[in-house]
Amino acid sequence: MGFAPANPAQDQMAQQPTLDMDLAPGETPRTTRVLLPLALPGAYDYLVPDDLDLRLGDFVRVPLGPREVTGVVWDPLPDTVETKPIDPARLKAVVSRFDAPPMPDMLRQFVDWVAAYTLSAPGAVLRLAMRVPQALEPSPRVTGYRLSGHKPARMTPKRERVLEMLHDTGPELARPAREIADMAGVGTGVVKGLVDAGALEAVDMPGEAPFPEPLAAPAGSAAGASRLNDTQAQAAADLAQRIGQGFSATLLDGVTGAGKTEVYFEAIAEALRQGRQVLVLLPEIALTPQLLKRFETRFGAAPAPWHSDLGQKERRRIWRGVAEGRARVVVGARSALFLPFTELGLIVVDEEHEAAFKQEEGVIYNARDMAVARASLGGFPVVLASATPSLETVVNVQRGRYQRLVLPERHGAARLPDVEAVDLRADAPERGRWLSHRLVMAIGDTLAAGNQAMLFLNRRGYAPLTLCRTCGHRFECPNCDAWLVEHRFRKELQCHHCGTRAPTPHACPECGTENSLAACGPGVERIAEEAAERFPEARLAVLSSDLLHGPAATQEAMAQITRQEVDLVIGTQVVAKGHNFPNLTLVGVVDSDLGLTGGDLRAAERTYQLLHQVAGRAGRGEKPGRVLLQTYMPHHKVMQALIAGDRDRFLEQEADERHAAGMPPFGRLVSVILSGPEQGQVMDVARELVRAAPQAEGVRVLGPAPAPIALLRGRHRMRFLLKTVRDFPVQKYVRAWLGAVKVPNAVRLAVDVDPQSFL
Ligand SMILES: [Zn+2]
Ligand SMILES: [Zn+2]
């Protein structure tokens, strides 16, 4: 973006002597341009040694100052990126080329596109595509063993077991000694003995597990397309028809349980039939095990998963498998978009409305939108699935840019739950309590009938604010403009923005009074405390990200609920989605208004989506479900829409309001966030930016204003908000604007195109 020195490579190179190249007089050396995975403004030129042949996309080692780094042989960059021609005599040479598949053209184009769209340095985006450096090294090889055809001179029962097992499970197949031993239930010594006796022969084989091939045709009559009802079959056929027919974007719109997954599985099957790779993007890794299972049932093989919890070995295996076309289907979180697919022919974005698709740090991008861009660049279809599609997507359908397939019915016996509001103005809980009389009665009835109930509150910890009853002291984070949240189960105060933790003190640090601290407001742990008092017989489970460590723990907690080892579930948004609890018939939302405060552009939309999802937890089995929304605003459009089950009317109202205000998706927004350790310095830059803002038709620069979280991790923050008409060339404007101001190193400037968060 032009904030760093114009050409740092040149500066660095000046410090070191260049390599001597043997050039005949008048001969021009071969050079190549290499993009490095660093947040630098441009790409660098390097000399190509005579014995090296380089293609676009090749991964290479190159010198950069005193060290060596890995980069990618790149196209000339778009003219928005600065690169100065350098005198070849000063260039350094490429050190070596990796023996790895080159980065596919489509991925390089995508990296450039994302960089231009998000106003990021191309190298910073490239870094997202180079997260697995080990994958550039050759695949490890191991020694495997298979039957040689010779009988050993001496036979023992254990040896016989090994030979029989190998014979039955594929005599041609080589396996590592450990695996053979495990499969036959013997020690590795037995396998070694058979090798020495000449009954097994050694074979050099890949050291990584292969990728089982998903089968496009349904495994049996009970699986696949034959299970679909008429509407679903029609939608599946519609989607499948689009595979191989160039770019298209389709909204697959259906309530939870309407069979969206089964329908897009058939589009995946068609892509596989056509020899294409497929990417399924999911917002949460917690969802993955369930989806992987369903996928395996349909396709006879698990897809390759991609998420932050994978170990290094598995990452390497999958990255390389994708690059070499051996991994056909990947199910992953947003970073899977940057995997080196060579034959990608379909992307499915499940739960497309989820805010979790937005990457909020580093390169700030929305994986849903970038998936559409990647499909468009690659000329293949993208499917966006949701029960509560985002207003952006709905408006794209109305504009004719996206197609829409609707799945109206619920699959099987489950019915939509009855939703009622509990007006807290009329039915207020007692002081220090949070559950209304009506909700308590409903829980009692549910438990008495032998069913399960769930209480939902999207707030971690015990209380959002702790203060001293004697002097009024409030516990604030020293690094952030935020209160410390009490986590009573862990006996500590925690900042939810920077993670700062401190043990909860006995005495007020301000006035020294003991036992004077008071908790204000409820968190999920406090609701659990009240529930335990009110229903002492009930078996409770508290589910929140603080208390569940990792996806495995989450899965286990979900399994306990399914096995009915729990009567009353109390949880944050970790319980909101994806899980089927057939015996859960009541959902109580403790504070339905929580997400509506704060003036976020999408507050109503988000609250609707979240509460709709939570409500869907009730009555997923044969029993009817009931949902109680505790609210001070029973007439708010969100509550009314949930009660009436009228999503489309809500979306219309929402669209009308945004249209009138010129807000997305009818206008565009870009946030520019300045931050730095010194407030004065940040304000100076902000003033400079105000002066430098170019005048243009269709754009308004709002701000600077202190960000709602004006102090975060010790940095002072100020925001600008650009509001433009829809067809405004936002990127060009921002590039010109920010390029005109010199920003000191201590001040960071983050640009968020199409912001989701306004904190
Ligand atoms: Zn005090
Ligand atoms: Zn903090």
Side-chain angles (χ1 to χ4, degrees), residues 53-93:
D53 269 325
L54 294 179
R55 294 160 297 174
L56 280 174
D58 271 339
F59 291 92
V60 289
R61 285 300 275 179
V62 293
L64 180 73
R67 55 193 180 125
E68 273 183 17
V69 290
T70 302
V72 179
V73 176
W74 213 257
D75 287 316
L77 290 155
D79 54 8
T80 54
V81 177
E82 297 177 41
T83 34
K84 265 195 257 169
I86 303 172
D87 174 10
R90 297 187 56 201
L91 290 182
K92 296 215 242 171

Side-chain angles (χ1 to χ4, degrees), residues 243-244 271 276-278 343-347 380-381:
I243 308 295
R276 308 298 296 262
Q277 289 171 299
V278 177
E343 300 163 306
L344 192 56
L346 171 67
I347 302 180
F380 58 78

Side-chain angles (χ1 to χ4, degrees), residues 477-482 484 495-500 711-714:
C477 175
N479 309 315
C480 303
D481 195 1
L484 292 176
C495 171
H496 284 184
H497 296 285
C498 71
T500 293
L711 183 69
L712 184 66
R713 296 183 198 102

Side-chain angles (χ1 to χ4, degrees), residues 681 685 742-748:
Q681 204 178 25
V685 177
K742 192 132 185 64
V743 180
N745 280 341
V747 175
R748 220 179 289 151

